[in-house]
Amino acid sequence: MAKLMVQTLVSIILLVLVAVEAATPPGIAKDREHGYASCKIKKYKHCYNMVHACPKSCPYDCTVECASCKPICSCDKPGAVCQDPRFIGGDGITFYFHGKKDNNFCLVSDNNLHINAHFIGRRNKNMKRDFTWVQSIVILFDNHQLFLGAKKTSTWDDSVDRLALSFDGEPITLHESEGTKWESSSVSIVRETSTNNIIVEVEGNFRITAKVVPITEEDSRIHNYGITKDDCFAHLDLGFKFLSLSNEVSGVLGQTYKPNYVSRVNIGARMPIMGGAKEYETSSLFSPDCSVARFIGNTGLNKDIGTMENLALPSLKCTSGIDGEGVVCKR
């Protein structure tokens, strides 16, 4: 009797496995070298929840463009800021902005939205510039400040969350589970995956995807980054979508959304570079004081200083004179 029960159980398991394989789109079950993505917007009925393998150029980081129902690399869309900062402007033109390691630059500045980025990097003795990556950003809107950062990491493990988040100086805790959501007023933060990958949205203002990624040994070897075992230079790959920019918007990325913007980069160059780092530099990560600043926001802002402990963040300096590792400046 027991033998018969075991045989029956095995048969049921095999039937379930066959059913799962049959329901999986062709090629996906056998293709372990690619990640997958699907359209999550229900109004696109022809594409909703349809699974697609990511392109070979970005095997683990893609999204599905629901209208065309095609997978595209997350870093190949307008509004992307990835890698050794490679930007795709609102005009669709790709360019690089290297800035300078351990400095802060305004990416977007408008009357009710200002986004600064903190750059980390390494100096290549054979080049005249730093290799740089975006370690963290601060988003100022209304009378709020939102901080997103990648914690310093030696050995990378994607199952360990390396995101640091705060809202108005208070650390945000997000349960490590796909779909976990945090909300406050008009702000929402949702985990796309259980670790290191979120969507941040402020209703009527912006939507940002942020993913913490390392510099791998292979990346370092190919590009001669010189990354050592004590620091994998964890940084953010970002995607921006803006919902209410004015025609006066500025900043490294923001200016490319102006209606009559004409790109200053040499489009024909192998690596088109956006210059003018001094024009976009800010005195601190939390200060909307780059020379092209447009931010007004809400004038009823406090000037207190908060701290975020145990985040292993780079040292930040506040305009008030208080500085140190992990300091969060409030305007």
Side-chain angles (χ1 to χ4, degrees):
M1 182 69 178
K3 184 177 180 181
L4 180 61
M5 290 178 66
V6 170
Q7 289 176 336
T8 302
L9 181 60
V10 169
S11 298
I12 291 172
I13 292 172
L14 288 173
L15 285 171
V16 170
L17 291 174
V18 168
V20 169
E21 185 173 356
T24 306
I28 288 182
K30 298 178 181 179
D31 185 1
R32 301 301 182 189
E33 295 183 359
H34 285 77
Y36 312 103
S38 61
C39 171
K40 300 296 185 182
I41 304 176
K42 290 184 178 181
K43 73 175 184 178
Y44 293 97
K45 296 180 180 179
H46 69 290
C47 192
Y48 178 64
N49 267 347
M50 187 180 295
V51 179
H52 298 262
C54 290
K56 291 182 178 180
S57 56
C58 56
Y60 298 106
D61 192 12
C62 73
T63 60
V64 172
E65 188 178 64
C66 294
S68 63
C69 205
K70 293 181 179 179
I72 56 175
C73 295
S74 299
C75 290
D76 287 346
K77 301 188 296 183
V81 180
C82 300
Q83 301 148 12
D84 181 6
R86 172 180 175 265
F87 290 70
I88 299 184
D91 55 1
I93 294 176
T94 299
F95 65 91
Y96 292 79
F97 177 81
H98 299 301
K100 188 177 181 181
K101 69 173 184 174
D102 302 324
N103 283 34
N104 308 290
F105 300 91
C106 66
L107 303 187
V108 178
S109 191
D110 204 8
N111 54 17
N112 193 32
L113 178 63
H114 187 97
I115 302 174
N116 285 341
H118 179 76
F119 283 32
I120 54 173
R122 286 183 63 86
R123 169 65 69 171
N124 185 324
K125 62 183 180 181
N126 299 318
M127 300 176 66
K128 295 181 179 180
R129 69 168 182 88
D130 298 329
F131 289 125
T132 53
W133 301 275
V134 174
Q135 181 272 337
S136 57
I137 61 172
V138 161
I139 307 152
L140 308 177
F141 61 97
D142 296 335
N143 62 338
H144 299 296
Q145 55 176 242
L146 182 60
F147 171 90
L148 317 176
K151 299 178 184 179
K152 185 175 180 180
T153 307
S154 53
T155 302
W156 182 258
D157 181 348
D158 198 47
S159 67
V160 178
D161 194 51
R162 304 305 295 164
L163 268 168
L165 305 168
S166 78
F167 182 63
D168 291 342
E170 297 296 326
I172 294 171
T173 301
L174 266 180
H175 182 65
E176 293 180 14
S177 177
E178 182 178 342
T180 298
K181 189 173 187 178
W182 176 93
E183 290 182 290
S184 179
S185 185
S186 61
V187 185
S188 70
I189 302 176
V190 179
R191 284 197 186 273
E192 275 206 287
T193 56
S194 58
T195 59
N196 299 311
N197 198 353
I198 58 173
I199 299 173
V200 181
E201 190 163 3
V202 170
E203 187 178 353
N205 200 333
F206 61 81
R207 183 178 188 269
I208 300 172
T209 58
K211 183 177 183 179
V212 181
V213 295
I215 299 299
T216 65
E217 290 184 7
E218 183 71 2
D219 292 333
S220 184
R221 183 187 64 79
I222 292 173
H223 300 288
N224 197 28
Y225 289 145
I227 301 301
T228 58
K229 291 184 178 180
D230 64 327
D231 190 352
C232 69
F233 281 80
H235 60 280
L236 300 175
D237 277 352
L238 298 158
F240 294 94
K241 183 175 182 179
F242 304 110
L243 306 175
S244 59
L245 294 178
S246 76
N247 292 341
E248 301 303 315
V249 63
S250 192
V252 178
L253 177 65
Q255 63 187 333
T256 67
Y257 286 82
K258 289 182 178 180
N260 300 315
Y261 176 72
V262 178
S263 180
R264 296 186 291 174
V265 305
N266 180 0
I267 299 174
R270 184 178 65 85
M271 181 181 280
I273 294 175
M274 172 77 71
K278 286 290 183 183
E279 189 177 351
Y280 307 108
E281 191 172 355
T282 64
S283 60
S284 79
L285 181 57
F286 290 78
S287 299
D289 60 0
C290 56
S291 64
V292 297
R294 302 285 188 270
F295 185 68
I296 300 171
N298 187 324
T299 56
L301 304 171
N302 64 60
K303 300 180 182 297
D304 297 332
I305 302 295
T307 60
M308 297 175 65
E309 299 178 353
N310 303 319
L311 295 183
L313 301 173
S315 294
L316 303 177
K317 183 172 291 185
C318 300
T319 53
S320 64
I322 297 178
D323 57 86
E325 184 167 320
V327 167
V328 173
C329 314
K330 289 186 178 179
R331 295 179 294 125

